[in-house]
Amino acid sequence: MADQIRVRFAPSPTGFLHVGGARTALYNWLLARRTGGVFVLRIEDTDRERSSGEMTQAILDGMTWLGLNWDEGPVHQADGLERHKGDVGRLLAQGAAYRCFCTPEELQARRDVMKEEYRYDRRCAAIPADESVRRAEAGEPFAVRFRVPEGDTAWDDEVHGDTRFKNESIEDFIILRTDGTPIYNLAVVSDDIDMRITHVIRGDDHIANTPKQILLYQAMGAAVPRFAHLPMILGPDGKRLSKRHGATAVGQYAEQGILPEAMNNFLALLGWNAGDDVEVMTMDELVQRFSLDRVNKKSAVFDTAKLEWMNGQHIALTPAENLLPLVAPLLVSSGLLAAEEVESRREWLLHLLQELRIRGRTTLEIAAQARTYLVDEVEQYDEASIAKHWKNADETAQRLAAVRAALAAVEPWTAEGIDAALRATAESAGVGLGKVAQPLRIALVGQAASPGIDFVVHTLGRDRVLRRIDRALERLRGAAA
């Protein structure tokens, strides 16, 4: 085994990069980065009928979005076909494998008789080698089966510890189809040997493949890598995560306003314990903390609310300069900003995002909150806020009119000048600042919850503030009439 750790992520391009695959990729990447190892990306595309270039690109895009850069690859498994066949030939030559001439119809007939108890009866294993060669050279179709030895196959799993299978429970499995293409287990082992893979980190659903693969490593005279089988990811209902639980492809989460840093943080904790009760971590912190000995055996539950909470934590930690490229396109696509305004109003937008970043769980929510500061009028008033803070229409109208006059006189338009004007208005009315600020807040944003009133007034700008106060006064006077 090589001194340097070498790991691989080997998705099949028959679908998008899903949550489970993304977590597997992340754990492999983290181990490589933690140990100074090598992270290899291999596309397992030997299933030509189901594989597609579109899905391969989707996987690469998902990996790129997550920031899981690979050191070698992407290597396409299909390109190793001749090596795979060569390995099968060597197994045949040493007697570790044999040709099987049974037809699919014959095999199915035996299955129909034996039902669940069916295992291949090894009848072709008894064919003498020279006869096997003669029949193959005569053009008789055949598959190649691996000859499973007696005994047990065991390994010390990095997650599950000692794991053992009785070889008698494993039938002589096919390693080469009748069309000359390799079966998954053979191709994987051949590739891992060729790539000098030292650690195989993958989902629990591969455990049944592991004894077959270990037997192949041994038959090929290669070192057996360390195996770590990760717990399954379940939906809130306790069943395996699937489309019925919502988005499962990582690209969909990008569209929903999730940051890649948050997604990686969330995925890392689906089956791994960072210790010290820490939850929110940067990629650098994940790398520093990661180890396979903290991976849990128990299945993890995918909690969308927890993901959104964590995303909110990461958004709050993200500088406004980094948020702008994520939020600005949403504002442009919704018609709130012209494309050229993103640059011309850059400082104003950064000022806005600096405040809003602590108030949203997704970039979509941040964009929705920014809408208030970009439209001309208040689009909707919260009736509960009005009932509480505008209940005396005459009194509220008098205070808003006084606030309007004070704000109209602020020069220059600064947060400090605005704060002084609001405090002076409250003092003149003989009330606390809140009795002025809350009615004004509703007039400006339609509800009683918002960032600080100085920020709201300053960010909206004088013209928009005065216009919204005028609309509120119209409403209040109409209610009082």
Side-chain angles (χ1 to χ4, degrees), residues 281-314:
M281 290 168 280
T282 65
M283 288 295 278
D284 286 343
E285 289 170 332
L286 288 173
V287 169
Q288 292 168 10
R289 288 176 173 269
F290 186 77
S291 64
L292 289 173
D293 60 4
R294 286 185 176 273
V295 175
N296 302 322
K297 298 178 183 179
K298 186 179 179 181
S299 296
V301 175
F302 192 99
D303 184 346
T304 301
K306 180 65 174 289
L307 171 60
E308 291 183 352
W309 171 83
M310 184 164 286
N311 196 58
Q313 300 300 303
H314 278 271

Side-chain angles (χ1 to χ4, degrees), residues 211-336:
K212 297 177 182 179
Q213 291 172 10
I214 289 176
L215 290 172
L216 285 169
Y217 281 110
Q218 293 170 340
M220 292 183 187
V224 178
R226 301 288 300 178
F227 287 94
H229 289 93
L230 310 177
M232 290 292 97
I233 299 177
L234 308 179
D237 57 1
K239 297 181 180 179
R240 186 169 178 174
L241 192 68
S242 67
K243 291 181 180 179
R244 70 176 177 275
H245 297 110
T248 57
V250 295
Q252 292 176 280
Y253 290 100
E255 295 168 3
Q256 292 174 10
I258 301 297
L259 301 183
E261 298 86 351
M263 193 70 190
N264 281 319
N265 191 168
F266 178 75
L267 290 175
L269 295 177
L270 285 180
W272 172 70
N273 178 8
D276 301 330
D277 295 325
V278 65
E279 287 193 294
V280 180
M281 290 168 280
T282 65
M283 288 295 278
D284 286 343
E285 289 170 332
L286 288 173
V287 169
Q288 292 168 10
R289 288 176 173 269
F290 186 77
S291 64
L292 289 173
D293 60 4
R294 286 185 176 273
V295 175
N296 302 322
K297 298 178 183 179
K298 186 179 179 181
S299 296
V301 175
F302 192 99
D303 184 346
T304 301
K306 180 65 174 289
L307 171 60
E308 291 183 352
W309 171 83
M310 184 164 286
N311 196 58
Q313 300 300 303
H314 278 271
I315 287 177
L317 295 171
T318 302
E321 292 83 356
N322 295 349
L323 275 181
L324 183 58
L326 303 176
V327 176
L330 301 174
L331 301 177
V332 172
S333 64
S334 60
L336 293 171

Side-chain angles (χ1 to χ4, degrees), residues 129-143:
D130 57 349
E131 180 184 344
S132 175
V133 171
R134 179 185 57 77
R135 291 172 67 175
E137 290 178 345
E140 186 173 349
F142 67 88

Side-chain angles (χ1 to χ4, degrees), residues 131-173:
E131 180 184 344
S132 175
V133 171
R134 179 185 57 77
R135 291 172 67 175
E137 290 178 345
E140 186 173 349
F142 67 88
V144 176
R145 289 182 182 271
F146 181 77
R147 194 188 303 270
V148 177
E150 295 180 355
D152 294 352
T153 299
W155 72 95
D156 184 14
D157 196 277
E158 298 282 346
V159 176
H160 297 281
D162 183 61
T163 308
R164 186 173 302 271
F165 282 75
K166 291 187 176 298
N167 290 357
E168 64 184 22
S169 68
I170 307 171
E171 71 172 358
D172 286 0
F173 53 94

Side-chain angles (χ1 to χ4, degrees), residues 397-448:
Q398 291 173 10
R399 287 179 184 168
L400 282 180
V403 167
R404 188 194 190 286
L407 292 175
V410 172
E411 191 61 48
W413 189 256
T414 62
E416 295 76 13
I418 290 166
D419 179 69
L422 295 179
R423 292 185 182 280
T425 303
E427 186 177 349
S428 296
V431 297
L433 181 61
K435 294 293 185 180
V436 170
Q438 284 299 79
L440 176 60
R441 199 186 305 271
I442 297 168
L444 298 182
V445 300
Q447 58 181 348

Side-chain angles (χ1 to χ4, degrees), residues 6-231:
R6 292 177 61 86
V7 295
R8 47 74 164 178
F9 175 54
S12 172
T14 55
F16 294 97
L17 179 62
H18 293 280
V19 166
R23 184 193 61 174
T24 297
L26 174 64
Y27 281 17
N28 277 280
W29 185 89
L30 288 172
L31 182 64
R33 296 295 173 261
R34 177 73 177 83
T35 62
V38 176
F39 178 54
V40 183
L41 176 59
R42 183 171 77 222
I43 305 298
E44 298 195 336
D45 55 355
T46 50
D47 187 344
R48 292 294 192 176
E49 291 185 3
R50 297 178 60 223
S51 299
S52 76
E54 179 186 0
M55 290 299 99
T56 296
Q57 189 58 53
I59 290 169
L60 299 180
D61 290 344
M63 295 279 289
T64 300
W65 177 70
L66 288 169
L68 305 182
N69 56 310
W70 48 92
D71 303 306
E72 296 179 12
V75 178
H76 290 265
Q77 189 173 69
D79 293 339
L81 179 60
E82 293 307 313
R83 173 170 34 81
H84 302 152
K85 289 181 177 179
D87 287 336
V88 172
R90 282 183 283 278
L91 290 172
L92 280 169
Q94 68 191 48
Y98 59 89
R99 296 176 184 85
C100 176
F101 297 94
C102 299
T103 66
E105 293 75 19
E106 290 170 340
L107 294 172
Q108 187 58 53
R110 292 174 216 157
R111 288 192 191 94
D112 291 342
V113 172
M114 298 298 293
K115 306 298 183 185
E116 293 85 1
E117 300 175 7
Y118 174 78
R119 281 195 306 128
Y120 183 66
D121 56 16
R122 290 187 138 181
R123 64 180 60 193
C124 289
I127 299 174
D130 57 349
E131 180 184 344
S132 175
V133 171
R134 179 185 57 77
R135 291 172 67 175
E137 290 178 345
E140 186 173 349
F142 67 88
V144 176
R145 289 182 182 271
F146 181 77
R147 194 188 303 270
V148 177
E150 295 180 355
D152 294 352
T153 299
W155 72 95
D156 184 14
D157 196 277
E158 298 282 346
V159 176
H160 297 281
D162 183 61
T163 308
R164 186 173 302 271
F165 282 75
K166 291 187 176 298
N167 290 357
E168 64 184 22
S169 68
I170 307 171
E171 71 172 358
D172 286 0
F173 53 94
I174 292 174
I175 56 176
L176 193 73
R177 301 181 182 91
T178 56
D179 65 1
T181 58
I183 291 292
Y184 167 79
N185 284 316
L186 183 282
V188 163
V189 170
S190 178
D191 290 348
D192 284 347
I193 293 173
D194 184 63
M195 295 175 176
R196 309 186 310 283
I197 298 303
T198 65
H199 291 66
V200 175
I201 305 172
R202 58 191 182 185
D204 270 350
D205 52 333
H206 282 284
I207 284 183
N209 289 319
T210 304
K212 297 177 182 179
Q213 291 172 10
I214 289 176
L215 290 172
L216 285 169
Y217 281 110
Q218 293 170 340
M220 292 183 187
V224 178
R226 301 288 300 178
F227 287 94
H229 289 93
L230 310 177

